[in-house]
Amino acid sequence: MDVLRQILVVLHIVGIAALLGGVLTQLSALRTGEVRIVPAMTHGALTMLVTGLALVGVDRQGLDKDLDTAKIATKLVVLLVILVLVWGNRAAARVSGRVLGTIGLLTVANIAVAVMWT
Ligand code: HEM
């Protein structure tokens, strides 16, 4: 079960890389106003949701590990806002810099919550 948890954490981090990497690829488009929601963002955000929920299941049921419910709920709410922004705008020809900035900041905020909330 611990190996499964480790694999899920690896995939969880791959999801962060895709989401944040997608945001970074669009930074140069801020100058031309051609910012788009790229597939790496939508797939990364979905990966975060699926692996995050699976981790909760494995930690709770499989490993009997106590999780901080407030921390997990905070991460879930922040990710749901990210999901609304990326899925809601995925077909748009361009999005505003504010949408891109909000997705990036919320992703970094969730990394801070994951690492600093003890
Ligand atoms: C953008 C969204 C998210 C980011 C950036 C993120 C980031 C991280 C990071 C860096 C870790 C490894 C450090 C640690 O163990 O605390 C982690 C672990 C974890 N995440 Fe997330 N996360 C996100 C969303 C979620 C969601 C939505 C859930 C659940 C609903 C979740 C559940 C978990 C769990 C349970 C662990 C602990 C794994 C363990 O040590 O057993 N995460 N997350």
Side-chain angles (χ1 to χ4, degrees):
M1 197 51 97
D2 204 43
V3 174
L4 178 58
R5 187 192 69 84
Q6 289 164 349
I7 292 169
L8 286 171
V9 173
V10 169
L11 292 176
H12 204 54
I13 290 169
V14 169
I16 305 175
L19 179 56
L20 206 54
V23 171
L24 295 178
T25 63
Q26 293 304 294
L27 286 185
S28 58
L30 280 172
R31 262 180 275 126
T32 54
E34 296 289 314
V35 177
R36 282 186 317 114
I37 300 299
V38 295
M41 294 183 212
T42 47
H43 296 158
L46 259 192
T47 302
M48 300 309 299
L49 181 66
V50 172
T51 54
L53 291 175
L55 275 168
V56 173
V58 168
D59 278 351
R60 283 248 166 98
Q61 305 296 321
L63 298 173
D64 226 1
K65 200 168 145 185
D66 259 343
L67 285 175
D68 187 333
T69 314
K71 175 179 170 177
I72 298 297
T74 304
K75 281 174 57 172
L76 183 57
V77 169
V78 171
L79 181 64
L80 289 178
V81 176
I82 295 173
L83 272 170
V84 167
L85 288 174
V86 295
W87 279 85
N89 289 301
R90 73 187 191 284
R94 59 178 69 96
V95 297
S96 75
R98 276 188 196 172
V99 170
L100 184 74
T102 306
I103 295 168
L105 282 177
L106 289 178
T107 305
V108 173
N110 249 5
I111 296 173
V113 168
V115 175
M116 296 163 85
W117 186 322
T118 48

